[in-house]
Amino acid sequence: MFPERSGIIVWFSDLKAASKHLEKYGNVHYLSKKLHYAAMYVYSSRLDETVKQLQKLPFVKKVERSYRNEIKTEYNNNIPDKTRFYTL
């Protein structure tokens, strides 16, 4: 139903240029004025070509991929429940 998206962090030198131009490459989630970075979401199918295009922009210093999709987010509890030993 929803397309698969990946997160990227774009480090930039010019806030005004970043706020104008980054919207056409993906969904800008957050722009940090103080630290000069933007958190964005782009389609996973076009991730590599979008990163290459962003790196060519004159105000972009560095582009980093988010590895959140690759981290296991389902946890299991293998520790036995000790509450039954401490009941009155």
mmCIF file of all heavy atoms in Angstrom, residues 50-85:
data_model
loop_
_atom_site.group_PDB
_atom_site.id
_atom_site.type_symbol
_atom_site.label_atom_id
_atom_site.label_comp_id
_atom_site.label_asym_id
_atom_site.label_seq_id
_atom_site.Cartn_x
_atom_site.Cartn_y
_atom_site.Cartn_z
ATOM 1 N N THR A 50 19.291 9.271 -6.148
ATOM 2 C CA THR A 50 18.981 10.501 -5.408
ATOM 3 C C THR A 50 20.187 10.955 -4.596
ATOM 4 O O THR A 50 20.480 12.157 -4.551
ATOM 5 C CB THR A 50 17.774 10.273 -4.485
ATOM 6 O OG1 THR A 50 16.671 9.796 -5.253
ATOM 7 C CG2 THR A 50 17.372 11.544 -3.782
ATOM 8 N N VAL A 51 20.896 10.021 -3.980
ATOM 9 C CA VAL A 51 22.087 10.372 -3.208
ATOM 10 C C VAL A 51 23.155 10.964 -4.120
ATOM 11 O O VAL A 51 23.798 11.962 -3.785
ATOM 12 C CB VAL A 51 22.622 9.136 -2.444
ATOM 13 C CG1 VAL A 51 23.998 9.395 -1.876
ATOM 14 C CG2 VAL A 51 21.664 8.753 -1.339
ATOM 15 N N LYS A 52 23.334 10.402 -5.313
ATOM 16 C CA LYS A 52 24.316 10.941 -6.266
ATOM 17 C C LYS A 52 23.938 12.351 -6.712
ATOM 18 O O LYS A 52 24.795 13.218 -6.839
ATOM 19 C CB LYS A 52 24.427 10.020 -7.478
ATOM 20 C CG LYS A 52 25.148 8.738 -7.185
ATOM 21 C CD LYS A 52 25.198 7.850 -8.400
ATOM 22 C CE LYS A 52 25.792 6.497 -8.056
ATOM 23 N NZ LYS A 52 25.766 5.582 -9.206
ATOM 24 N N GLN A 53 22.652 12.571 -6.949
ATOM 25 C CA GLN A 53 22.200 13.908 -7.357
ATOM 26 C C GLN A 53 22.384 14.916 -6.232
ATOM 27 O O GLN A 53 22.774 16.059 -6.475
ATOM 28 C CB GLN A 53 20.732 13.858 -7.771
ATOM 29 C CG GLN A 53 20.490 13.143 -9.068
ATOM 30 C CD GLN A 53 19.001 12.997 -9.363
ATOM 31 O OE1 GLN A 53 18.166 13.334 -8.519
ATOM 32 N NE2 GLN A 53 18.678 12.488 -10.534
ATOM 33 N N LEU A 54 22.114 14.509 -5.006
ATOM 34 C CA LEU A 54 22.279 15.417 -3.872
ATOM 35 C C LEU A 54 23.744 15.772 -3.641
ATOM 36 O O LEU A 54 24.062 16.908 -3.285
ATOM 37 C CB LEU A 54 21.687 14.794 -2.600
ATOM 38 C CG LEU A 54 20.170 14.784 -2.504
ATOM 39 C CD1 LEU A 54 19.723 13.935 -1.326
ATOM 40 C CD2 LEU A 54 19.639 16.186 -2.377
ATOM 41 N N GLN A 55 24.643 14.830 -3.843
ATOM 42 C CA GLN A 55 26.059 15.089 -3.635
ATOM 43 C C GLN A 55 26.621 16.071 -4.666
ATOM 44 O O GLN A 55 27.623 16.720 -4.407
ATOM 45 C CB GLN A 55 26.853 13.783 -3.675
ATOM 46 C CG GLN A 55 26.624 12.935 -2.454
ATOM 47 C CD GLN A 55 27.274 11.573 -2.549
ATOM 48 O OE1 GLN A 55 27.583 11.096 -3.629
ATOM 49 N NE2 GLN A 55 27.479 10.933 -1.405
ATOM 50 N N LYS A 56 25.975 16.186 -5.812
ATOM 51 C CA LYS A 56 26.428 17.112 -6.847
ATOM 52 C C LYS A 56 26.021 18.562 -6.575
ATOM 53 O O LYS A 56 26.562 19.473 -7.195
ATOM 54 C CB LYS A 56 25.876 16.692 -8.213
ATOM 55 C CG LYS A 56 26.481 15.418 -8.743
ATOM 56 C CD LYS A 56 25.887 15.048 -10.074
ATOM 57 C CE LYS A 56 26.418 13.734 -10.567
ATOM 58 N NZ LYS A 56 25.794 13.351 -11.850
ATOM 59 N N LEU A 57 25.080 18.773 -5.658
ATOM 60 C CA LEU A 57 24.624 20.124 -5.368
ATOM 61 C C LEU A 57 25.735 20.914 -4.674
ATOM 62 O O LEU A 57 26.467 20.373 -3.839
ATOM 63 C CB LEU A 57 23.374 20.083 -4.483
ATOM 64 C CG LEU A 57 22.123 19.480 -5.121
ATOM 65 C CD1 LEU A 57 21.009 19.371 -4.098
ATOM 66 C CD2 LEU A 57 21.670 20.296 -6.309
ATOM 67 N N PRO A 58 25.878 22.201 -5.001
ATOM 68 C CA PRO A 58 27.014 22.974 -4.467
ATOM 69 C C PRO A 58 26.955 23.243 -2.965
ATOM 70 O O PRO A 58 27.996 23.426 -2.335
ATOM 71 C CB PRO A 58 26.955 24.282 -5.251
ATOM 72 C CG PRO A 58 25.561 24.381 -5.754
ATOM 73 C CD PRO A 58 25.074 22.985 -5.939
ATOM 74 N N PHE A 59 25.783 23.258 -2.368
ATOM 75 C CA PHE A 59 25.664 23.581 -0.951
ATOM 76 C C PHE A 59 25.685 22.343 -0.056
ATOM 77 O O PHE A 59 25.680 22.465 1.164
ATOM 78 C CB PHE A 59 24.384 24.384 -0.679
ATOM 79 C CG PHE A 59 23.124 23.680 -1.101
ATOM 80 C CD1 PHE A 59 22.475 22.834 -0.232
ATOM 81 C CD2 PHE A 59 22.594 23.881 -2.364
ATOM 82 C CE1 PHE A 59 21.316 22.188 -0.614
ATOM 83 C CE2 PHE A 59 21.438 23.245 -2.750
ATOM 84 C CZ PHE A 59 20.794 22.398 -1.880
ATOM 85 N N VAL A 60 25.751 21.142 -0.630
ATOM 86 C CA VAL A 60 25.737 19.899 0.145
ATOM 87 C C VAL A 60 27.165 19.484 0.473
ATOM 88 O O VAL A 60 28.018 19.389 -0.402
ATOM 89 C CB VAL A 60 25.014 18.780 -0.635
ATOM 90 C CG1 VAL A 60 25.138 17.453 0.089
ATOM 91 C CG2 VAL A 60 23.551 19.141 -0.819
ATOM 92 N N LYS A 61 27.414 19.254 1.770
ATOM 93 C CA LYS A 61 28.742 18.804 2.214
ATOM 94 C C LYS A 61 28.846 17.283 2.198
ATOM 95 O O LYS A 61 29.818 16.729 1.706
ATOM 96 C CB LYS A 61 29.020 19.291 3.634
ATOM 97 C CG LYS A 61 29.184 20.775 3.764
ATOM 98 C CD LYS A 61 29.467 21.111 5.213
ATOM 99 C CE LYS A 61 29.591 22.592 5.423
ATOM 100 N NZ LYS A 61 29.790 22.920 6.840
ATOM 101 N N LYS A 62 27.830 16.609 2.767
ATOM 102 C CA LYS A 62 27.890 15.162 2.916
ATOM 103 C C LYS A 62 26.476 14.603 2.966
ATOM 104 O O LYS A 62 25.554 15.263 3.458
ATOM 105 C CB LYS A 62 28.644 14.831 4.207
ATOM 106 C CG LYS A 62 28.835 13.372 4.482
ATOM 107 C CD LYS A 62 29.779 13.098 5.630
ATOM 108 C CE LYS A 62 29.327 13.652 6.928
ATOM 109 N NZ LYS A 62 30.072 13.160 8.092
ATOM 110 N N VAL A 63 26.294 13.387 2.458
ATOM 111 C CA VAL A 63 25.006 12.690 2.507
ATOM 112 C C VAL A 63 25.238 11.344 3.176
ATOM 113 O O VAL A 63 26.121 10.591 2.777
ATOM 114 C CB VAL A 63 24.414 12.489 1.096
ATOM 115 C CG1 VAL A 63 23.095 11.738 1.174
ATOM 116 C CG2 VAL A 63 24.226 13.808 0.387
ATOM 117 N N GLU A 64 24.442 11.054 4.217
ATOM 118 C CA GLU A 64 24.569 9.800 4.952
ATOM 119 C C GLU A 64 23.263 9.022 4.872
ATOM 120 O O GLU A 64 22.184 9.591 4.990
ATOM 121 C CB GLU A 64 24.879 10.060 6.426
ATOM 122 C CG GLU A 64 26.190 10.736 6.677
ATOM 123 C CD GLU A 64 26.417 11.023 8.146
ATOM 124 O OE1 GLU A 64 25.497 10.781 8.955
ATOM 125 O OE2 GLU A 64 27.503 11.501 8.470
ATOM 126 N N ARG A 65 23.376 7.710 4.686
ATOM 127 C CA ARG A 65 22.217 6.827 4.674
ATOM 128 C C ARG A 65 21.817 6.458 6.089
ATOM 129 O O ARG A 65 22.659 6.318 6.967
ATOM 130 C CB ARG A 65 22.566 5.525 3.960
ATOM 131 C CG ARG A 65 22.026 5.429 2.580
ATOM 132 C CD ARG A 65 22.304 4.069 1.992
ATOM 133 N NE ARG A 65 21.331 3.122 2.498
ATOM 134 C CZ ARG A 65 21.604 1.854 2.759
ATOM 135 N NH1 ARG A 65 22.788 1.373 2.597
ATOM 136 N NH2 ARG A 65 20.664 1.066 3.200
ATOM 137 N N SER A 66 20.535 6.266 6.300
ATOM 138 C CA SER A 66 20.039 5.768 7.579
ATOM 139 C C SER A 66 19.917 4.250 7.484
ATOM 140 O O SER A 66 19.386 3.720 6.511
ATOM 141 C CB SER A 66 18.675 6.371 7.880
ATOM 142 O OG SER A 66 18.110 5.753 9.007
ATOM 143 N N TYR A 67 20.413 3.562 8.490
ATOM 144 C CA TYR A 67 20.350 2.101 8.504
ATOM 145 C C TYR A 67 19.215 1.603 9.383
ATOM 146 O O TYR A 67 19.250 0.474 9.857
ATOM 147 C CB TYR A 67 21.690 1.540 8.975
ATOM 148 C CG TYR A 67 22.801 1.841 8.008
ATOM 149 C CD1 TYR A 67 23.704 2.857 8.257
ATOM 150 C CD2 TYR A 67 22.921 1.131 6.821
ATOM 151 C CE1 TYR A 67 24.709 3.142 7.365
ATOM 152 C CE2 TYR A 67 23.923 1.413 5.921
ATOM 153 C CZ TYR A 67 24.819 2.411 6.197
ATOM 154 O OH TYR A 67 25.805 2.699 5.303
ATOM 155 N N ARG A 68 18.214 2.409 9.584
ATOM 156 C CA ARG A 68 17.109 2.034 10.456
ATOM 157 C C ARG A 68 16.315 0.851 9.899
ATOM 158 O O ARG A 68 15.819 0.017 10.658
ATOM 159 C CB ARG A 68 16.188 3.228 10.657
ATOM 160 C CG ARG A 68 15.098 2.945 11.642
ATOM 161 C CD ARG A 68 14.282 4.157 11.937
ATOM 162 N NE ARG A 68 13.303 3.836 12.959
ATOM 163 C CZ ARG A 68 12.367 4.648 13.335
ATOM 164 N NH1 ARG A 68 12.276 5.839 12.813
ATOM 165 N NH2 ARG A 68 11.513 4.303 14.256
ATOM 166 N N ASN A 69 16.179 0.750 8.574
ATOM 167 C CA ASN A 69 15.431 -0.358 7.979
ATOM 168 C C ASN A 69 16.128 -1.691 8.196
ATOM 169 O O ASN A 69 15.494 -2.740 8.168
ATOM 170 C CB ASN A 69 15.245 -0.134 6.484
ATOM 171 C CG ASN A 69 14.390 1.057 6.191
ATOM 172 O OD1 ASN A 69 13.715 1.569 7.064
ATOM 173 N ND2 ASN A 69 14.410 1.528 4.961
ATOM 174 N N GLU A 70 17.442 -1.687 8.395
ATOM 175 C CA GLU A 70 18.209 -2.913 8.541
ATOM 176 C C GLU A 70 18.337 -3.375 9.992
ATOM 177 O O GLU A 70 18.813 -4.468 10.245
ATOM 178 C CB GLU A 70 19.587 -2.715 7.931
ATOM 179 C CG GLU A 70 19.513 -2.375 6.466
ATOM 180 C CD GLU A 70 20.839 -1.947 5.886
ATOM 181 O OE1 GLU A 70 21.867 -2.107 6.586
ATOM 182 O OE2 GLU A 70 20.845 -1.474 4.757
ATOM 183 N N ILE A 71 17.920 -2.553 10.939
ATOM 184 C CA ILE A 71 18.009 -2.902 12.360
ATOM 185 C C ILE A 71 16.767 -3.688 12.767
ATOM 186 O O ILE A 71 15.647 -3.339 12.393
ATOM 187 C CB ILE A 71 18.146 -1.634 13.219
ATOM 188 C CG1 ILE A 71 19.442 -0.923 12.891
ATOM 189 C CG2 ILE A 71 18.075 -1.968 14.696
ATOM 190 C CD1 ILE A 71 19.593 0.406 13.580
ATOM 191 N N LYS A 72 16.978 -4.736 13.542
ATOM 192 C CA LYS A 72 15.860 -5.549 14.022
ATOM 193 C C LYS A 72 15.055 -4.740 15.034
ATOM 194 O O LYS A 72 15.601 -4.242 16.012
ATOM 195 C CB LYS A 72 16.394 -6.820 14.662
ATOM 196 C CG LYS A 72 15.321 -7.800 15.058
ATOM 197 C CD LYS A 72 15.925 -9.029 15.672
ATOM 198 C CE LYS A 72 15.988 -8.841 17.161
ATOM 199 N NZ LYS A 72 16.366 -10.017 17.922
ATOM 200 N N THR A 73 13.758 -4.616 14.799
ATOM 201 C CA THR A 73 12.903 -3.839 15.704
ATOM 202 C C THR A 73 11.909 -4.692 16.473
ATOM 203 O O THR A 73 11.162 -4.171 17.292
ATOM 204 C CB THR A 73 12.127 -2.759 14.930
ATOM 205 O OG1 THR A 73 11.369 -3.390 13.902
ATOM 206 C CG2 THR A 73 13.078 -1.742 14.335
ATOM 207 N N GLU A 74 11.880 -5.987 16.205
ATOM 208 C CA GLU A 74 10.997 -6.884 16.962
ATOM 209 C C GLU A 74 11.836 -7.579 18.016
ATOM 210 O O GLU A 74 12.825 -8.238 17.718
ATOM 211 C CB GLU A 74 10.348 -7.905 16.040
ATOM 212 C CG GLU A 74 9.419 -7.275 15.032
ATOM 213 C CD GLU A 74 8.787 -8.314 14.130
ATOM 214 O OE1 GLU A 74 8.876 -9.516 14.451
ATOM 215 O OE2 GLU A 74 8.219 -7.913 13.121
ATOM 216 N N TYR A 75 11.437 -7.433 19.253
ATOM 217 C CA TYR A 75 12.200 -7.962 20.364
ATOM 218 C C TYR A 75 11.421 -9.095 21.020
ATOM 219 O O TYR A 75 10.200 -9.125 21.002
ATOM 220 C CB TYR A 75 12.468 -6.864 21.397
ATOM 221 C CG TYR A 75 13.093 -5.640 20.804
ATOM 222 C CD1 TYR A 75 12.349 -4.487 20.593
ATOM 223 C CD2 TYR A 75 14.422 -5.646 20.427
ATOM 224 C CE1 TYR A 75 12.926 -3.363 20.029
ATOM 225 C CE2 TYR A 75 15.008 -4.532 19.873
ATOM 226 C CZ TYR A 75 14.262 -3.388 19.679
ATOM 227 O OH TYR A 75 14.836 -2.289 19.126
ATOM 228 N N ASN A 76 12.165 -10.028 21.603
ATOM 229 C CA ASN A 76 11.517 -11.078 22.360
ATOM 230 C C ASN A 76 12.113 -11.099 23.766
ATOM 231 O O ASN A 76 13.251 -10.719 23.991
ATOM 232 C CB ASN A 76 11.668 -12.436 21.680
ATOM 233 C CG ASN A 76 13.116 -12.780 21.409
ATOM 234 O OD1 ASN A 76 14.017 -12.050 21.783
ATOM 235 N ND2 ASN A 76 13.342 -13.887 20.739
ATOM 236 N N ASN A 77 11.325 -11.542 24.697
ATOM 237 C CA ASN A 77 11.730 -11.551 26.089
ATOM 238 C C ASN A 77 12.020 -12.991 26.487
ATOM 239 O O ASN A 77 11.110 -13.772 26.766
ATOM 240 C CB ASN A 77 10.624 -10.949 26.954
ATOM 241 C CG ASN A 77 11.086 -10.719 28.367
ATOM 242 O OD1 ASN A 77 12.231 -10.970 28.691
ATOM 243 N ND2 ASN A 77 10.186 -10.239 29.188
ATOM 244 N N ASN A 78 13.282 -13.374 26.521
ATOM 245 C CA ASN A 78 13.670 -14.727 26.898
ATOM 246 C C ASN A 78 13.903 -14.867 28.395
ATOM 247 O O ASN A 78 14.141 -15.956 28.883
ATOM 248 C CB ASN A 78 14.947 -15.134 26.153
ATOM 249 C CG ASN A 78 14.698 -15.291 24.673
ATOM 250 O OD1 ASN A 78 13.568 -15.500 24.262
ATOM 251 N ND2 ASN A 78 15.740 -15.191 23.879
ATOM 252 N N ILE A 79 13.854 -13.785 29.125
ATOM 253 C CA ILE A 79 14.058 -13.813 30.570
ATOM 254 C C ILE A 79 12.757 -14.236 31.234
ATOM 255 O O ILE A 79 11.694 -13.672 30.957
ATOM 256 C CB ILE A 79 14.503 -12.424 31.078
ATOM 257 C CG1 ILE A 79 15.786 -12.003 30.369
ATOM 258 C CG2 ILE A 79 14.682 -12.423 32.575
ATOM 259 C CD1 ILE A 79 16.184 -10.567 30.630
ATOM 260 N N PRO A 80 12.799 -15.236 32.122
ATOM 261 C CA PRO A 80 11.555 -15.668 32.787
ATOM 262 C C PRO A 80 11.001 -14.576 33.704
ATOM 263 O O PRO A 80 11.746 -13.782 34.266
ATOM 264 C CB PRO A 80 11.980 -16.902 33.586
ATOM 265 C CG PRO A 80 13.458 -16.805 33.708
ATOM 266 C CD PRO A 80 13.953 -16.013 32.531
ATOM 267 N N ASP A 81 9.709 -14.575 33.848
ATOM 268 C CA ASP A 81 9.035 -13.578 34.667
ATOM 269 C C ASP A 81 9.218 -13.929 36.143
ATOM 270 O O ASP A 81 8.790 -15.000 36.598
ATOM 271 C CB ASP A 81 7.556 -13.539 34.304
ATOM 272 C CG ASP A 81 6.842 -12.405 34.982
ATOM 273 O OD1 ASP A 81 7.517 -11.460 35.426
ATOM 274 O OD2 ASP A 81 5.596 -12.477 35.062
ATOM 275 N N LYS A 82 9.839 -13.054 36.917
ATOM 276 C CA LYS A 82 10.124 -13.310 38.334
ATOM 277 C C LYS A 82 9.057 -12.744 39.272
ATOM 278 O O LYS A 82 9.186 -12.854 40.478
ATOM 279 C CB LYS A 82 11.482 -12.726 38.698
ATOM 280 C CG LYS A 82 12.630 -13.407 38.003
ATOM 281 C CD LYS A 82 13.955 -12.842 38.442
ATOM 282 C CE LYS A 82 15.088 -13.536 37.753
ATOM 283 N NZ LYS A 82 16.383 -12.996 38.158
ATOM 284 N N THR A 83 8.022 -12.170 38.740
ATOM 285 C CA THR A 83 7.007 -11.573 39.618
ATOM 286 C C THR A 83 6.271 -12.622 40.425
ATOM 287 O O THR A 83 5.802 -12.330 41.524
ATOM 288 C CB THR A 83 6.007 -10.752 38.803
ATOM 289 O OG1 THR A 83 5.399 -11.589 37.809
ATOM 290 C CG2 THR A 83 6.676 -9.569 38.143
ATOM 291 N N ARG A 84 6.130 -13.828 39.939
ATOM 292 C CA ARG A 84 5.400 -14.850 40.701
ATOM 293 C C ARG A 84 6.158 -15.268 41.965
ATOM 294 O O ARG A 84 5.582 -15.782 42.911
ATOM 295 C CB ARG A 84 5.093 -16.056 39.834
ATOM 296 C CG ARG A 84 6.312 -16.765 39.360
ATOM 297 C CD ARG A 84 5.956 -17.901 38.453
ATOM 298 N NE ARG A 84 7.185 -18.524 38.003
ATOM 299 C CZ ARG A 84 7.312 -19.770 37.701
ATOM 300 N NH1 ARG A 84 6.250 -20.562 37.783
ATOM 301 N NH2 ARG A 84 8.448 -20.270 37.304
ATOM 302 N N PHE A 85 7.484 -15.065 42.003
ATOM 303 C CA PHE A 85 8.263 -15.439 43.181
ATOM 304 C C PHE A 85 8.147 -14.379 44.299
ATOM 305 O O PHE A 85 8.442 -14.670 45.434
ATOM 306 C CB PHE A 85 9.741 -15.606 42.815
ATOM 307 C CG PHE A 85 9.973 -16.752 41.868
ATOM 308 C CD1 PHE A 85 10.475 -16.497 40.601
ATOM 309 C CD2 PHE A 85 9.689 -18.049 42.225
ATOM 310 C CE1 PHE A 85 10.710 -17.546 39.731
ATOM 311 C CE2 PHE A 85 9.927 -19.104 41.359
ATOM 312 C CZ PHE A 85 10.421 -18.844 40.091
#
